[in-house]
Amino acid sequence: MSIITIQLGQCGNQVGREVFQAISTDLHSTHGLCSRKENDAYQAASRERFFSEEKTGVPAARAVLVDMEPKVIGQTLSVALRSGSWKYDHQSHFCQKQGSGNNWANGYCIHGPRHKEAIMNLVQKEAEKCDRLSGFLILLSMAGGTGSGLGAFVTRSLRDAYPTSFLLNHVIWPYSLGEVIVQNYNSVLTLSHLYQTSDALLVHENDAIHKICAQLMNIKQISFQDVNRVIAHQLGSIFQPAYSSDNAVQYSRSPLGDLMEALVPHPEFKMLGLRNIPQMSENYLAFSTFAWPGLLKHLRQMLIANAKMEEGIDWQVRPPVPGLPPSQKQSPNRTAHFNTSIANLITLRGKDVQTADLGGFRDPALYTSWLSAQEALSIWKTPRAFNKYEKSASLVSNSQFLLKPIDGVVSKAWKMFASKAYVHQYTKFGIEEEDFLDCFATLEQVIASYTSL
């Protein structure tokens, strides 16, 4: 089944381009490390998911590009075309001459309704090209105006138009010391609206990815493209085909549906985080060897200590004694809080995947009391290696990982709102103070739900 990607705003379009490039590079990779038959099946499943075949022979990404300024979309289209291995359909983009001025209300209340018909027509044309539609992957940033405001509006429109399709919002969490003074308002408004319409929110934090670029990729002058490439690699590692059970004879048919089934057992809990191991500069890859026990030991500790990468993990954090109330689920060292999971999905790719022992992830102490470890853990595997890594593991987790960032954003936004700072910039586009209060209440409920695990 196919996934249609909706790229919104500057960030969404730049990340989307890198995602398709990563998938295309992986498709054409000679480092598959598996049989020809296996590789052919993998490539066919991946192409059906992400590309439609064109008469020219160059596959076109199943994507709709939306921005309120033309510059980034122009760059995105031309860079894809120059790659020679894939392209965007030249009729699948929508842009205007003026942006949203980093104002969520401008994107949601003005640009959204004004351009809804044109955008949804493009989506319909892409949907008609799919033999079977799994759902939509919606890429956006929370900090600005177009990705966040128009993104929330488009997500709601997709829910109305495609009620049975899965909606996964991929959200870029802004730098904590961001450049947009109203980014906390935009973030609160975006998160609360998406929480009510989307099936799940997969979150990448810019600060965490920046650290990966500096410490694991060894990049000295980190650009947005470097950050986006790391994000794209991680997304590719979960969206490329894999077998959803040991006795499966074909690749997962409904990638988004299977993801939701594995990770979102209750509509009140839909925040997903992604970790990937190993991740390193290509220069070092040829000289590195990996063993499953070491990779999985690090990945498990990254999960329970809420570390975003394998360097600098706090090894003192331990799972609590099962049955303790949330208030006592503190680690023995008292400084780091144990990260309780609702559900986890592990995807293993590459050599000897059948020998990997995942017993450490079946520990009931890792999970909330109302779901058994057997129900809470899903494992996908494929012998086909991903993007030059002989062995790699990805972990998508529905856990408490985002509690601190959400709490921080809500607190900062509330302080501004209490003094009515910049509120007039939103009310002039049609957002009322009551709308802000509703959004704060929604997120306070999300915080309370995850804290209670």
Side-chain angles (χ1 to χ4, degrees), residues 151-170:
F153 183 88
V154 168
T155 302
R156 197 188 80 190
S157 302
L158 287 168
R159 172 54 73 226
D160 293 341
Y162 301 90
T164 58
S165 293
F166 293 101
L167 301 185
L168 175 63
N169 283 87
H170 176 256

Side-chain angles (χ1 to χ4, degrees), residues 208 213 274 310 320 335:
C213 289
L274 174 54
E310 61 260 43
T335 55

Side-chain angles (χ1 to χ4, degrees), residues 316-320 330-336:
Q316 301 302 311
V317 183
R318 296 273 186 278
Q330 195 81 15
S331 268
N333 67 353
R334 290 283 163 201
T335 55

Side-chain angles (χ1 to χ4, degrees), residues 312-329:
I313 302 172
D314 183 349
W315 290 92
Q316 301 302 311
V317 183
R318 296 273 186 278
V321 178
L324 282 181
S327 59
Q328 293 175 34
K329 281 191 181 180

